[in-house]
Amino acid sequence: MTPFDTALRVHRREVDAVKVSISVEVERITTLESQTRAHDATLRQERALASALPFASDAWTARMKAERARLDEAAYLAQARLVRLRDKAVEAYGTMRAIEGAAERYEEDAERTIALAEQSAGDDIAAARFLRARAAVRRPA
């Protein structure tokens, strides 16, 4: 347990949330691309059919252009959101890794402190035994 554990959990959740947001945005982009392909196919089919009929299709053409512009704008905005989310993910991941590094250093320092305390205790015991043995050798029998 380190003082960094809470911050680490928060940043891990943030990274997970950004991953989910990125997945949602990628799905949205995929859907928009499918809609654009379907729109283009419909446009080609309807133009082919309209050329055979003797009436004007200006209103329909304007509506189809507006729909295509809407799809293009939505795709552009989704791509922009995806770029921002990826930047956020990089930042959140970097922060999380920095906190993990600080937590690891904290644990290593704690382990080193414990090891030094154990070594000092062992040295003190050995020194006390040495002094007792030395005192016993100097005492006249």
Side-chain angles (χ1 to χ4, degrees):
M1 189 77 158
T2 71
F4 301 100
D5 289 347
T6 301
L8 191 55
R9 279 192 302 275
V10 167
H11 282 283
R12 282 185 179 149
R13 284 189 200 120
E14 182 181 352
V15 168
D16 291 342
V18 171
K19 283 181 187 177
V20 169
S21 297
I22 287 172
S23 296
V24 167
E25 211 58 49
V26 167
E27 182 65 29
R28 183 176 294 139
I29 289 169
T30 303
T31 301
L32 287 168
E33 287 172 352
S34 296
Q35 289 174 349
T36 300
R37 283 192 301 275
H39 178 269
D40 290 344
T42 301
L43 184 62
R44 281 191 302 275
Q45 289 172 350
E46 293 294 328
R47 278 191 179 157
L49 292 173
S51 65
L53 298 175
F55 59 87
S57 61
D58 294 337
W60 178 83
T61 303
R63 185 176 59 82
M64 292 303 280
K65 283 183 181 179
E67 177 65 14
R68 178 58 189 254
R70 185 195 67 78
L71 288 171
D72 289 345
E73 178 68 16
Y76 174 79
L77 293 174
Q79 286 289 347
R81 283 190 301 269
L82 183 60
V83 167
R84 283 193 309 273
L85 285 170
R86 285 181 174 158
D87 290 343
K88 186 176 179 180
V90 167
E91 181 181 327
Y93 184 75
T95 301
M96 184 186 74
R97 291 296 299 152
I99 293 171
E100 285 175 345
E104 288 172 7
R105 286 189 299 280
Y106 179 87
E107 288 174 346
E108 290 169 358
D109 287 346
E111 289 172 4
R112 192 172 19 263
T113 301
I114 291 170
L116 286 173
E118 290 173 352
Q119 182 64 44
S120 293
D123 291 347
D124 290 347
I125 292 170
R129 284 184 185 158
F130 173 75
L131 291 176
R132 275 195 304 261
R134 190 169 150 196
V137 170
R138 286 191 176 168
R139 280 192 216 141

